[in-house]
């Protein structure tokens, strides 16, 4: 406690307002609004972009996890508590923070530096100033602009293209004229024009594939012009950078030479484009190393031309363009339009894959060493690492491209070997491409570092690997026999489209969760019922529907988490499991408990609802009941947005095992699932076998009535029906030649047999098949019971009876040792309940069934 | 187990299924803990190569890992067959976590999984928790020794006769003919009938036959009825009675008095002082027997304790002086009588006294 207060103190000291506070609202006199403040040596003013701690993450000040926002207002509530320094923010969400279905729409712009202006209303924009830990800058761009990575003032920089209101995207307006903006604008002009070109080109390409050459000329003439249009200081910068990256350009030249040699053998046009590319690239080098995005349009254009001009298109080339396409913002349009044209290439690619060895020798031996020899290695490594600046992994880009073009080899992520092979081949392509295109990050030395890269990606993949049962070689046979179909449908796992007979409970749960979601509050619900009454299935069904509703935008966002008490090895493990489901982070149980406590009890920033389903709640019981306490305590906090649905078997669990403080928090929202009645069971079975002519309705009724009389367990009913279908199938097989046309209905007989199998106790059969002496021993037990009137006897007493009975029947009595053996044998079958053998003749023996059973079984 | 093994072998031999089945054998006696069992399952599933750099430590991690593996499977996965021997022991694991999860997977996921539990307990279902029982498919196959004496004799014949492919044709015929003749004999038949009536187990039968067959030597190359009788006598011998045979006279006297006391006080526990008192009465009456000091008698009493013919009461504290500690007698008067009959050179006085002491019992 002392420690935390100390921290608060120091924070306090570091914080101060600048300037005079203004009163804005008359009613709130104490509220003073400011325009600036300092926070730990950092000056924050209104309209600044700030980074806000994300307390849900382990590393709350990580640039990748934190929130981004723009300060709209700063004020002091004057209430004198710890949280009186407030700030109102306009949130900027990362792409990973918006719903996945919308993420898909923005896939092209999948960058971690991308943010969206978030105008959703369900996040609290009023935050504590002290959660701000740094400043950043956000640059507003046109939707199809390119980003650059010039970092000014050493601040992290984000790019914003879109405004998001929870349903769709709108381009953000450029409403600020700043110093950087001028720069950006010029750049925009430049890239925009190329973009326009490209789009134009694409359209033409789609329409008339033969005009390319013309456009090529056009664009060649055009792009230098654009460059010239750029402001002079920009050019100066470029020149500076040129000087700075002398080695690099030297290497370019060398490689350029090489490409020239190579491409000369091909076509001249392509050579020209190569040159052009190189020039353009050299000019474009920016001081901070060049981001690929920066050139992507120009390179892309040239690449596309190359591709089209060269009939014998290079596989690597194709790949390059593909990645660039995947990367760039307009790939969405491009890919579609180019797809037709690319089909050829895909075919070629697969052909080339077969000849991989050939490529290995061709590229690996001939080309690569050449370049390697010409350029000192260390320089390359250095330049490479510099170029890697925004570490957009190649893997990511490949995966994007792979998805786009649906090249299945690359999308098979789970297979270790496959991955390795893939990256291998990628490298081959890489080498070729780097030589060809003189290019960018992928220069020949990249090979070395790339190996590192692949190692990293492999490592990541192993972590992500899911254990898989090896797949079978021959697929399961699927039969069209109605009996077989019925059997499949009757399996418990085959959940039907809707759950019959639970409509009332379903709507109850649905409305509860939906209501809580709309209220933005938390709450708990307790569901009880004997096993096999569809508790978990109903809740899952509700959640399935709600998830659909969420995805179509009808319901606020939420995250559904399911935790089963029996899948946890220890009740306390609940915390780490929950944390892992929430944030995909691993933590020890105590640490996870702390983090979760913080998340749910402290007023949070941007958070969605969490719907938690706790199955088998009674297993989370601990002596102190702290786990249960937390589960039901968190929803009561105003900011938690935590909805808990707890499931257990016993109705009075809250009263029976929970402490009062827990059961009061649980509240009275309880639903009890009654065991199914025979009508409901009948309906359930019938709904599953509907349309299949396999069951006699009367037979189903028999099952339903039998099961309802015993337990009302739907699983049991389904199992019986399944067994009955199996019996029917066996019977039909045994019948010498079943006529083809005749159907085999599951009738009363089969059901009766199945019921017999399941419900009769094996004990009577076991007694009947036991040996003479064993029977006599059981008789002796009964006789001893009758003699003493007690339901328990010692072995010596029974032995005496046994001997007496033997004499009566004229059988040689067994020795005590033999008799003890018999006794222990019967005990191991649990026909008798026997104490441990240490007590020898004094051990107590009891029958594990009624005396009547014994008499009945032994009467013959 | 043999039956299940044979079924599995047959399944494996089937052409189409050959490579699509993974058998997982678990034994409740070996895997006495879910933690160990989980590790064993992972090992048998050959998931280790997938595990890779994963630390194979935490139980929770393992469980999550395995569940994930089993859950994410689909129809295309290989069929898994779990064969669980001594299934009842798994029911005593904490919360029955493992079997709950196995059953749940069977019932809820698409992975083709079958779980076969083998146990000798008839009431194993009652051991299952309610939620586990609900997930159990309630398919039981009971195996009983449902054969009569003729079948039993056939089994004996099958076990004893040499197989068809035995190398020495002549010897095989000779031996087999002899066995057939032997089994027709009354003596052999009565021995086997007795065995049959006591215990129908094939395992016990094999024990008997092994004992008899091991008596064959060069001089007696064929089985005889007497071999059977000897073997059975060896098997059915009462351990207590044979132990009593080796006791000294003094100890015998003590045993008799103890049994007498036990019957007298209706199976209440007794202590040494009572026994000594009884001994003194006997010794004073029959002057021909030498009277022995109390300490020596106590030594004899302790010897009986080490033989576990007498066991101390569980409740008696260490503070009680040794002679007064309560003990229970683990002998039946019938056993004692039998032992006395076979006791070598039993003095007539003792014999008379014993018959007097034990007669009032029955």
């Amino acid at each position: 406690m002392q420690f935390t207060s100390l921290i608060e103190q120091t924070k306090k000291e570091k914080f101060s307002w600048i300037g005079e506070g203004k009163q804005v609202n008359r009613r709130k006199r104490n509220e003073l609004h400011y325009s600036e403040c300092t926070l730990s040596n950092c000056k924050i003013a209104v309209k600044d972009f700030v980074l806000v701690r994300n307390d849900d993450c382990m590393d709350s000040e990580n640039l990748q996890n934190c929130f981004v926002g723009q300060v709209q207002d700063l004020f002091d509530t004057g209430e004198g508590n710890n949280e009186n320094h407030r700030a109102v923010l306009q949130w900027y969400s990362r792409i990973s923070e918006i719903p996945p279905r919308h993420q898909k729409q923005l896939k092209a712009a999948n960058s971690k530096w991308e943010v969206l202006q978030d105008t959703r209303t369900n996040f609290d924009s009023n935050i504590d100033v002290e959660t701000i830990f740094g400043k950043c800058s956000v640059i507003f761009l046109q939707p199809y602009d390119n980003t650059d990575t010039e970092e000014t003032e050493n601040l992290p920089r984000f790019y914003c293209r879109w405004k998001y209101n929870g349903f769709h995207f709108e381009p953000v307006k450029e409403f600020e004229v700043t110093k950087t903006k001028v720069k950006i604008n010029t750049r925009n002009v430049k890239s925009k024009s190329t973009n326009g070109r490209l789009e134009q080109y694409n359209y033409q390409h789609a329409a008339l594939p033969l005009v390319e050459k013309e456009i090529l000329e056009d664009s060649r003439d055009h792009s230098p012009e654009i460059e010239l249009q750029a402001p002079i200081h920009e050019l100066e910068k470029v020149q500076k950078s040129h000087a700075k990256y002398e080695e690099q350009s030297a290497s370019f030249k060398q490689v350029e030479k090489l490409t020239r040699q190579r491409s000369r053998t091909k076509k001249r046009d392509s050579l020209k484009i190569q040159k052009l590319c190189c020039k353009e690239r050299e000019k474009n080098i920016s001081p901070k190393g060049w981001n690929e995005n920066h050139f992507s349009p120009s390179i892309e254009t040239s690449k596309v031309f190359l591709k089209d001009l060269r009939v014998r298109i290079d596989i690597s080339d194709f790949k390059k363009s593909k990645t660039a396409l995947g990367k760039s913002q307009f790939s969405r349009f491009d890919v579609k339009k180019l797809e037709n044209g690319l089909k050829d290439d895909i075919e070629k690619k697969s052909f080339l894959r077969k000849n991989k060895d050939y490529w290995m020798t061709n590229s690996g031996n001939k080309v690569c060493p050449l370049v390697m020899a010409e350029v000192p290695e260390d320089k390359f490594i250095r330049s490479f690492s510099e170029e890697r600046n925004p570490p957009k992994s190649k893997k990511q880009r490949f995966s994007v491209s792979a998805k786009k073009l649906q090249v299945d080899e690359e999308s098979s992520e789970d297979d270790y070997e496959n991955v390795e092979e893939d990256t291998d081949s990628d490298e081959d392509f890489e080498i070729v491409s780097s030589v060809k295109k003189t290019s960018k990050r992928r220069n020949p030395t990249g090979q070395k570092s790339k190996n590192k890269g692949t190692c990293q990606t492999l490592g990541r993949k192993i972590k992500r690997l899911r254990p898989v049962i090896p797949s079978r070689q021959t697929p399961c046979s699927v039969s069209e026999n109605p009996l077989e179909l019925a059997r499949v449908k009757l399996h418990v796992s085959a959940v039907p489209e809707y759950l019959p007979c639970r409509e009332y409970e379903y709507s109850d749960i649905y409305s509860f969760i939906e209501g809580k979601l709309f209220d933005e509050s938390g709450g708990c619900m307790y569901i009880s019922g004997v096993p096999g009454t569809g508790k978990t299935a109903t809740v899952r069904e509700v959640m399935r529907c709600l998830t659909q509703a969420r995805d179509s935008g009808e319901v606020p966002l939420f995250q559904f988490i399911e935790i089963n008490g029996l899948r946890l090895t220890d009740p306390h493990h609940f915390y780490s499991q929950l944390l892992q489901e929430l944030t995909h982070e691993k933590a020890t149980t105590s640490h996870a408990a702390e983090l979760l406590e913080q998340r749910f009890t402290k007023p949070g920033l941007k958070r969605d609802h969490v719907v938690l389903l706790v199955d088998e709640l009674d297993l989370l019981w601990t002596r102190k009941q702290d786990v249960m306490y937390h589960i039901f305590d968190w929803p009561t906090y105003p900011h938690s947005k935590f909805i808990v649905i707890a499931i257990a078997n016993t109705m009075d669990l809250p009263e029976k095992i929970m402490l009062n403080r827990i059961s009061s928090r649980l509240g009275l929202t309880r639903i009890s699932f009654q065991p199914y009645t025979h009508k409901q069971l009948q309906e359930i079975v019938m709904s599953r076998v509907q349309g299949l002519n396999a069951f006699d309705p009367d037979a189903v009724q028999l099952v339903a009535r039998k099961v309802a009389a015993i337990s009302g367990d739907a699983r049991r009913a389904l199992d019986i029906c399944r067994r009955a279908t199996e019996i029917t199938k066996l019977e039909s097989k045994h019948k010498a030649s079943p006529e083809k046309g005749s159907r085999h209905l599951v009738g009363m007989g089969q059901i009766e047999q199945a019921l017999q199998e399941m419900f009769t106790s094996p004990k009577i059969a076991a007694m009947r098949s036991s040996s003479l002496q064993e029977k006599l021993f059981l008789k002796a037990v009964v006789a001893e019971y009758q003699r003493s009137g007690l339901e328990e006897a010692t072995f010596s007493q029974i032995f005496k009876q046994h001997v007496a009975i033997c004499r009566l029947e004229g059988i040689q009595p067994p020795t005590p040792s033999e008799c003890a053996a018999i006794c222990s044998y019967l005990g191991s079958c649990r026909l008798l309940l026997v104490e441990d053998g240490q007590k020898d003749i004094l051990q107590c023996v009891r029958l594990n069934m009624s005396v009547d059973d014994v008499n009945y079984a032994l009467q013959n | 187990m043999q039956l299940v093994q044979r079924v599995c072998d047959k399944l494996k031999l089937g052409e189409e299924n050959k490579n699509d089945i993974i058998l997982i054998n678990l034994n409740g006696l070996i895997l006495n803990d879910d933690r160990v069992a989980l590790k064993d399952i992972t090992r048998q599933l050959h998931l280790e190569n997938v595990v890779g750099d994963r630390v194979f430590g935490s139980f929770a991690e393992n469980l999550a890992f395995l569940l994930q593996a089993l859950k994410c499977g689909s129809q295309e996965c290989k069929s898994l067959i779990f064969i669980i021997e001594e299934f009842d022991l798994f029911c005593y694991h904490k919360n029955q976590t493992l079997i709950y999860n196995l059953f749940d997977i069977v019932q809820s996921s698409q992975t083709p999984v079958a779980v076969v539990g083998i146990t000798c307990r008839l009431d194993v279902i009652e051991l299952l928790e309610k939620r586990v029982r609900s997930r159990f498919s309630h398919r039981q196959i009971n195996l009983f020794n449902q054969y009569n004496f003729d079948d039993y004799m056939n089994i004996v014949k099958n076990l004893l006769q040499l197989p068809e492919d035995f190398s020495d044709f002549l010897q095989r015929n000779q031996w087999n003919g002899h066995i057939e003749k032997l089994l027709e004999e009354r003596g052999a038949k009565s021995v086997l009938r007795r065995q049959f009536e006591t215990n129908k187990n094939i395992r016990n039968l094999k024990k008997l036959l092994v004992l008899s067959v091991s008596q064959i030597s060069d001089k007696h190359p064929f089985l005889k009825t007497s071999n059977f009788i000897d073997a059975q006598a060896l098997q059915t011998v009462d351990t207590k009675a044979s132990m009593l045979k080796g006791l000294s006279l003094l100890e015998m006297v003590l045993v008799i008095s103890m049994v007498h006391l036990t019957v007298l006080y209706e199976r209440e526990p007794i202590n040494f002082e009572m026994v000594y008192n009884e001994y003194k009465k006997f010794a004073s009456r029959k002057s021909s027997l030498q009277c022995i000091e109390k300490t020596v008698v106590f030594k004899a009493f302790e010897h009986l304790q080490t033989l576990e013919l007498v066991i101390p009461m569980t409740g008696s504290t260490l503070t009680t002086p040794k002679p007064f500690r309560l003990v229970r007698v683990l002998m039946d008067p019938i056993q004692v009588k039998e032992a006395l009959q076979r006791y070598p050179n039993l003095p007539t006085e003792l014999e008379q006294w014993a018959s007097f002491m034990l007669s009032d019992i029955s």
Side-chain angles (χ1 to χ4, degrees), chain A residues 20 31 48 158 208 245 253 258 274 277 289 302 364 396 403 480 525 535 546 708 781 789 791 810:
Chain A
E20 289 270 308
E31 222 174 80
D48 270 355
F158 295 92
L208 296 165
Y245 283 77
K253 274 170 198 162
L258 208 113
Q274 293 271 325
C277 288
S302 56
Q396 184 194 346
K403 260 181 230 157
E480 291 301 312
M525 178 177 234
K535 300 179 294 293
L546 277 171
V781 176
E791 290 272 292

Side-chain angles (χ1 to χ4, degrees), chain B residues 309-323:
Chain B
L309 293 171
V310 190
I311 52 166
M313 281 278 287
T314 42
S316 65
T317 50
L318 290 169
T319 48
T320 340
K322 267 187 182 175

Side-chain angles (χ1 to χ4, degrees), chain B residues 11-58:
Chain B
L11 270 178
K12 274 199 160 174
L13 285 177
E15 272 305 308
E16 48 188 306
N17 293 328
K18 205 179 233 166
N19 300 311
D20 289 342
I21 291 174
I22 304 176
L23 274 182
I24 296 144
N25 290 299
L26 307 171
N27 192 319
L29 289 170
I30 298 164
L31 311 167
N32 56 354
D33 186 7
D34 275 350
R35 189 185 304 252
V36 192
L38 270 180
K39 280 196 178 176
D40 206 54
I41 293 171
T42 332
R43 185 183 61 75
Q44 294 194 32
L45 273 175
H46 301 293
L47 285 177
E48 272 160 326
N49 46 0
V50 182
V51 172
D53 57 344
R54 208 183 173 88
V55 186
F56 224 70
S58 121

Side-chain angles (χ1 to χ4, degrees), chain A residues 486-720:
Chain A
R487 206 172 68 84
V488 172
K489 282 213 168 173
L490 284 171
H491 194 266
V492 182
S493 71
V495 177
E497 294 88 67
Y498 81 107
L499 295 163
C501 311
R502 286 290 179 227
E503 290 85 8
Y504 172 70
E505 285 87 353
Y506 174 85
S507 63
D508 245 17
I509 300 169
Y510 191 94
S511 55
F512 173 79
I513 301 175
E514 201 186 20
K516 294 287 178 202
L517 285 177
F518 279 118
D519 291 352
E520 303 201 350
S521 59
C524 356
M525 178 177 234
Y526 178 73
I527 299 173
S528 64
V530 292
T533 48
K535 300 179 294 293
T536 313
T538 308
V539 176
R540 280 198 191 141
E541 184 70 15
V542 169
M543 292 322 293
R544 201 171 58 84
C545 287
L546 277 171
T547 315
Q548 274 175 5
R550 176 192 68 185
D551 289 347
S552 59
E554 292 161 29
V555 179
L557 292 176
F558 66 87
Q559 192 179 358
F560 177 53
I561 297 171
E562 194 181 335
I563 291 180
N564 188 325
L566 259 172
R567 305 239 161 86
L568 302 175
T569 45
D570 181 79
H572 293 283
H573 195 65
F574 170 83
Y575 296 123
S576 43
Q577 181 87 15
L578 182 59
L579 188 77
Q580 198 183 351
E581 298 269 345
L582 267 176
T583 61
H584 304 287
E585 284 170 45
K586 278 193 173 175
T588 57
T589 49
S590 50
H591 188 205
E594 274 170 35
L595 284 174
L596 288 170
E597 177 84 24
Q598 202 171 30
R599 186 191 194 283
F600 288 120
T601 56
K602 295 273 167 59
L605 302 175
K606 309 195 291 183
R607 272 178 201 151
D608 290 328
H609 281 276
V610 177
V611 181
L612 174 70
L613 166 64
V614 187
D615 219 342
E616 316 289 358
L617 178 75
D618 48 333
L619 285 161
L620 294 179
W621 187 86
T622 48
R623 188 191 289 274
K624 279 169 75 185
Q625 308 199 354
D626 47 348
V627 179
M628 276 189 179
Y629 178 80
H630 280 137
I631 292 174
F632 297 118
D633 187 40
W634 287 332
T636 58
Y637 286 90
H639 303 284
S640 61
K641 294 188 181 179
F642 190 42
I643 301 166
V644 177
I645 298 161
I647 295 181
N649 287 142
T650 44
M651 204 159 80
D652 55 347
L653 185 83
E655 282 72 35
K656 216 165 58 182
I657 66 166
M658 288 187 200
L659 297 173
N660 284 337
R661 55 162 186 244
I662 299 173
S663 53
S664 92
R665 277 178 173 79
L666 174 56
L668 291 168
T669 332
R670 295 182 193 178
I671 292 184
S672 165
F673 278 60
Q674 297 301 323
Y676 288 113
T677 62
H678 67 88
K679 270 189 189 155
Q680 288 173 325
L681 283 174
Q682 198 177 345
E683 203 184 320
I684 290 167
V685 176
M686 286 315 278
S687 77
R688 290 203 177 206
V689 294
Q690 230 163 25
L692 299 167
N693 211 340
F695 266 88
D696 184 2
D698 288 342
V700 176
Q701 193 175 359
L702 177 71
V703 174
R705 280 184 185 278
K706 278 269 183 192
V707 174
I710 295 168
S711 58
D713 188 338
R715 287 198 193 104
R716 183 74 76 93
L718 293 173
D719 276 337
I720 293 170

